[in-house]
Amino acid sequence: MLHSRLSGGGGLRLGRTLVDAKLMARSGLDEVNLRRARRAFRERWRRAPGAEKLRLVEGGTAARFAFVVETLRSAWSPEVWGLWLRYLEHTEAEIDEMVAGEYPISPYMVRVSSALLGMKVDFLTAGCWPTGDHLGPDIDACPQFSVTNA
């Protein structure tokens, strides 16, 4: 029997991921604001009505990205939000265009946003239920993959 996860965000944890130190060093965020973002997302997702959750997971990437952006804007002070924008190298107007679906949301933006929230990229990219990711996605602009030939 499959169990529905509509009731909450039980798969989301506030704990550290393996990319947190790198993310904080590059973005200038401190651990307090990192945890504040994760807690705000987890609580907002948990409290969202089932119909809104279904709309998000069945909708496009822009709708899910808008959910993330609205959460961050409400959780952080304008100074912290500005720090995050400087790290992303995007303006407020560009973020608003991404939310509206008028500006492409890059795979890098998806990875960094997912790393910030400590979750797998599947939520933003494919509309999967948000789940925690202990490792965290690679936040390098051009990730290096190692391939060995056996």
Side-chain angles (χ1 to χ4, degrees), residues 30-110:
D30 57 14
E31 190 160 353
V32 170
N33 283 299
L34 184 71
R35 286 184 178 273
R36 184 174 289 145
R38 290 179 182 170
R39 186 179 314 109
F41 181 84
R42 186 186 68 187
E43 290 304 311
R44 185 169 180 213
W45 180 261
R46 189 179 62 77
R47 291 182 178 160
E52 181 181 2
K53 291 177 183 178
L54 286 175
R55 179 187 59 79
L56 286 168
V57 298
E58 291 175 353
T61 302
R64 291 184 293 276
F65 187 69
F67 186 84
V68 169
V69 167
E70 291 165 8
T71 302
L72 295 177
R73 284 178 173 159
S74 68
W76 285 340
S77 69
E79 294 79 19
V80 174
W81 175 246
L83 181 68
W84 181 245
L85 290 178
R86 281 191 297 283
Y87 166 64
L88 296 175
E89 297 180 352
H90 282 289
T91 64
E92 189 80 37
E94 289 169 340
I95 297 294
D96 290 340
E97 289 174 357
M98 288 179 204
V99 165
E102 300 166 356
Y103 190 96
I105 301 168
S106 70
Y108 175 72
M109 182 67 77
V110 168

